[in-house]
Amino acid sequence: MTRIYVPRDALAVSLGADDVAAALRAACPDALIVRNSSRGMAWLEPLVEVETEVGRIGYGPVEATDIPSLLAAGLLGGGAHAKRIGRPEDQPFLARQTRITFARAGLTDPVSLADYRAHGGLAGLTRALGMSPAELIDEVAKSGLRGRGGAGFPTGIKWRTVQLAPSAQKYIVCNADEGDSGTFADRMVMEGDPFLLIEGMIIAGLTVGATRGYVYLRSEYPHAITAMNEAIGVALREGVLGDSVLGSGHAFHLEVRVGAGAYVCGEETSLLDSLEGKRGQVRAKPPLPALSGLFGKPTVVNNVLSLAAIPDIFAGGAAAYQALGMGRSRGTMPIQLAGNIKHGGLFEVPFGITLGELVMEIGGGTASGRPVRAVQVGGPLGAYFPPALFDTQFDYEAFTARDGLIGHGGIVVFDDTVDMARMARFAMEFCAIESCGKCTPCRIGSTRGVEVIDKIIAGDSKQLALLEDLCDTMKFGSLCALGGFTPYPVLSAIRHFPEDFSRHQPALAA
Amino acid sequence: MIGKTEIATRTAEIIAPYLALEGPAMPMLHAVQAAFGFVPEASVPVVADALNLSRAEVHGLVSFYHDFRREPAGRAVLKLCRAEACQACGADRIAAHASEVLGIGWHETTPDGAVTLEPVFCLGLCAAGPCGMVNERTVARLDTARLDAILEAVR
């Protein structure tokens, strides 16, 4: 029986993958249609793959209306067609990657535990079950893994703090509130390889002595919610989760909790308040969540990508993971290429690649074909970079040195039609909409920021000094990164694109 | 339109399964909204009572989170992404087009009750923008023609 793969990933589904699958089912009743995950090449989605004697052959982007012509061209045997791309793994976009977290992306049925095991899944957990708590912590620390949510805090240190905190109840909380524009790696892990996240969370639980975990998943990700819940159900039935993980006697219970559209809940302490059933307002630190987190108990709060890196660190050994990367940024980073880009998608590589390679070589420049003018790295709180800074290496410290941040690894490309004064205004407007209201610099400062930028856009460039002063107050006076980092996009827009802040002079009367 | 007493009775039934959870407030409010299409005023005291919270605290939850509505939406909800990655691909033009065709602004519902237009900040489809959501269905690579077809289908 011929196997045909049609992704169930949200991006593919948003472009008609369900219709493609239905059309194939109707036209080829004898074929087995597998709903796999996405390979991460967005411009080819929906990417249909057919298993042939020479491996899987891809066709994309496929619409349901293409099915008759594809079948006439011999789709089931990998026949020639304008949309045939050959073997997906031969695509330069995939061939240049070092996929660890995304090793299984597109290959498996995401909710099949058998597929997961067949592709190396659960090897890390199996090894971890034979290790002592001290050995477990050592392995994480040695890997050099730093928090992939944006802050880059060493995971080993965070886990050690929780491990050493005395408490009968501890928690593992996965921050899956991936609200940054231009990022989708968490979504792709949860939709495409949910057992990987589950395995990472179980290992975290074993390491610190926690028996309960929560995935705080944003409501904007309905497909991820479905996939995670399906996978948790399977894991429970198969004894991966539950009272005795893989028969070890260690308990671990996991639950998905759905957010409600508040961007600020991606900040770990507001996330915890939201989980507890409160307004998602930021807590002052200390105390650290590691000591007093969910319901006041010691809690590991990690991003999806941090937890998803754990199984491979245990399966392949910390040394192998640590060997990749540059400086203090070890391992790989799943980078997300987005916005106005020709070849967008998921690109996992060791740290150290330059911004220019990512945007121009791998991404192929803009989708519109116009020159690249600016890229925003690290979400709505990240700085805008001009092409003049494309030699910046993808590394936590290298971006900090250039007044930017890599954040969660999202890169949004803009062409030369972008108005950077408007983008700076949007940064302030977004902060005003999403501010939790707890601290004044963020709550009031963002609204004043919009007003000041409006005056600048109206032609009053004297207000620039006031705007920079306001940014200074927000940066140093805000409780969390929402107010504290909103100045990054604003100030970088002013610094690198000053012409956009003076060109709005009102025309002189004739 | 059902009466306040009936709403209260149904709310109590809807939230009962969540009472045993740790931190049940958010799952309860999601369930109430899923059942009614919004969080009715008459549900608030029932949830408050179940959680041993004040009505003000529950009201505070409903008003804090963008997802929770205090009034029914139109028969279809069109959410359009306003975030940076979609802006880079022309999201502003798509939003202006939707607004013009529907004759409404953000957070408004057409007079015939057919469509509510809402902004959303990122659906994670950032390599295929502009994108949006029609009820529970996500849509990507929107252009005015696709948007017109979507609106045609839901009106």
Side-chain angles (χ1 to χ4, degrees):
Chain A
M1 198 189 322
T2 313
R3 288 167 83 93
I4 309 178
Y5 296 86
V6 184
R8 57 178 277 176
D9 170 272
L11 189 139
V13 169
S14 304
L15 295 168
D18 287 349
D19 296 338
V20 170
L24 280 168
R25 270 198 197 98
C28 321
D30 294 334
L32 177 67
I33 313 285
V34 179
R35 300 305 300 268
N36 63 333
S37 54
S38 171
R39 300 263 191 172
M41 298 184 287
W43 72 98
L44 291 174
E45 293 292 1
L47 174 64
V48 172
E49 295 175 43
V50 180
E51 206 151 71
T52 71
E53 284 168 5
V54 292
R56 280 157 70 162
I57 299 297
Y59 297 82
V62 174
E63 292 177 44
T65 49
D66 294 328
I67 300 303
S69 85
L70 282 166
L71 289 172
L75 170 82
L76 299 181
H81 187 276
K83 294 198 169 176
R84 186 184 191 274
I85 63 156
R87 302 191 322 159
E89 56 272 29
D90 294 338
Q91 289 281 309
F93 188 88
L94 283 184
R96 284 188 69 166
Q97 302 194 36
T98 306
R99 285 196 160 182
I100 295 179
T101 299
F102 282 87
R104 275 173 294 272
L107 299 178
T108 55
D109 171 351
V111 293
S112 161
L113 191 62
D115 266 16
Y116 185 64
R117 283 185 201 264
H119 286 82
L122 298 181
L125 175 59
T126 306
R127 177 166 170 244
L129 282 167
M131 297 166 77
S132 71
E135 288 168 335
L136 289 163
I137 276 288
D138 270 358
E139 196 74 4
V140 177
K142 272 190 219 151
S143 74
L145 178 67
R146 293 167 69 181
R148 298 285 187 253
F153 189 80
T155 307
I157 294 176
K158 186 184 277 187
W159 287 20
R160 195 188 306 271
T161 310
V162 179
Q163 190 188 60
L164 295 177
S167 177
Q169 175 76 67
K170 299 178 186 177
Y171 293 101
I172 308 297
V173 171
C174 172
N175 184 345
D177 197 46
E178 186 180 48
D180 286 358
S181 175
T183 66
F184 43 81
D186 295 352
R187 177 182 67 69
M188 288 187 66
V189 166
M190 294 185 287
E191 291 174 5
D193 206 7
F195 293 117
L196 178 68
L197 177 59
I198 294 171
E199 186 181 351
M201 291 184 74
I202 298 172
I203 296 172
L206 285 175
T207 307
V208 306
T211 54
R212 185 164 281 279
Y214 290 98
V215 179
Y216 187 90
L217 217 172
R218 62 202 297 265
S219 62
E220 292 87 344
Y221 282 1
H223 306 85
I225 295 168
T226 306
M228 278 310 301
N229 278 323
E230 271 183 58
I232 288 172
V234 171
L236 259 176
R237 279 202 302 281
E238 302 285 331
V240 177
L241 284 170
D243 291 331
S244 179
V245 169
L246 295 179
S248 64
H250 291 283
F252 196 75
H253 299 273
L254 187 55
E255 206 181 301
V256 170
R257 285 295 172 90
V258 179
Y263 174 76
V264 75
C265 289
E267 194 283 332
E268 61 177 3
T269 60
S270 33
L271 186 154
L272 293 174
D273 267 19
S274 185
L275 264 180
E276 291 182 6
K278 300 172 187 159
R279 290 158 70 92
Q281 288 194 303
V282 175
R283 300 177 185 173
K285 288 190 270 195
L288 294 170
L291 297 172
S292 179
L294 187 61
F295 303 110
K297 306 294 184 196
T299 303
V300 167
V301 186
N302 272 145
N303 172 253
V304 173
L305 296 180
S306 315
L307 291 162
I310 295 294
D312 294 293
I313 288 171
F314 280 86
Y321 193 82
Q322 205 276 339
L324 300 168
M326 71 173 272
R328 290 172 51 223
S329 306
R330 311 310 311 176
T332 59
M333 182 73 196
I335 295 165
Q336 300 121 85
L337 301 173
N340 190 342
I341 190 161
K342 191 173 172 198
H343 293 155
L346 192 290
F347 195 85
E348 182 176 356
V349 271
F351 287 95
I353 190 167
T354 68
L355 192 51
E357 283 175 85
L358 287 164
V359 173
M360 303 310 297
E361 287 178 32
I362 293 148
T366 64
S368 61
R370 302 182 65 93
V372 173
R373 178 143 189 260
V375 297
Q376 187 178 29
V377 184
L381 308 175
Y384 286 99
F385 281 72
L389 293 180
F390 273 7
D391 62 335
T392 311
Q393 285 182 292
F394 214 84
D395 158 74
Y396 292 102
E397 279 69 40
F399 266 74
T400 307
R402 294 204 160 159
D403 294 316
L405 47 113
I406 65 172
H408 187 49
I411 297 179
V412 176
V413 179
F414 293 82
D415 71 13
D416 61 350
T417 61
V418 67
D419 179 340
M420 295 307 296
R422 297 233 161 253
M423 297 318 296
R425 184 191 188 280
F426 177 79
M428 285 291 190
E429 184 193 1
F430 181 71
C431 181
I433 294 170
E434 298 298 337
S435 175
C436 81
K438 186 141 176 176
C439 72
T440 316
C442 172
R443 184 182 69 243
I444 308 288
S446 52
T447 297
R448 291 290 99 86
V450 172
E451 294 165 359
V452 173
I453 296 174
D454 276 342
K455 286 181 189 167
I456 294 168
I457 289 175
D460 184 358
S461 54
K462 290 199 301 291
Q463 300 284 334
L464 273 169
L466 185 61
L467 179 58
E468 293 193 23
D469 198 46
L470 176 66
C471 283
D472 202 54
T473 302
M474 289 176 71
K475 192 170 176 178
F476 295 103
S478 298
L479 259 183
C480 82
L482 179 49
F485 286 10
T486 291
Y488 277 98
V490 176
L491 293 174
S492 58
I494 296 171
R495 178 175 311 124
H496 302 305
F497 308 92
E499 60 277 20
D500 286 18
F501 292 82
S502 54
R503 79 151 80 119
H504 296 279
Q505 302 292 348
L508 292 170
Chain B
M1 200 71 186
I2 54 174
K4 279 186 183 173
T5 324
E6 196 183 332
I7 289 175
T9 313
R10 280 189 59 193
T11 302
E13 290 164 12
I14 291 161
I15 65 174
Y18 301 96
L19 282 166
L21 296 183
E22 293 184 316
M26 297 287 284
M28 281 180 178
L29 289 173
H30 274 302
V32 168
Q33 174 144 313
F36 295 105
F38 68 113
V39 181
E41 199 62 46
S43 296
V44 170
V46 184
V47 174
D49 197 43
L51 298 175
N52 197 23
L53 294 174
S54 69
R55 288 164 67 169
E57 281 167 308
V58 176
H59 174 82
L61 282 175
V62 177
S63 60
F64 182 86
Y65 294 99
H66 301 307
D67 280 3
F68 298 135
R69 305 172 193 288
R70 285 179 275 175
E71 280 153 19
R75 291 188 294 280
V77 176
L78 172 64
K79 293 185 182 183
L80 292 175
C81 181
R82 283 195 63 206
E84 289 89 342
C86 283
Q87 286 187 45
C89 304
D92 289 348
R93 282 197 306 278
I94 296 293
H97 181 76
S99 175
E100 193 188 312
V101 170
L102 295 170
I104 53 174
W106 295 121
H107 304 289
E108 292 176 1
T109 302
T110 52
D112 61 358
V115 185
T116 299
L117 180 62
E118 289 185 344
V120 63
F121 294 95
C122 199
L123 295 164
L125 309 172
C126 320
C131 55
M133 206 167 181
V134 189
N135 297 327
E136 293 303 302
R137 188 167 65 93
T138 51
V139 286
R141 282 189 205 131
L142 281 174
D143 52 30
T144 50
R146 275 201 83 190
L147 185 63
D148 286 342
I150 288 166
L151 290 176
E152 186 68 30
V154 298
R155 290 193 89 172

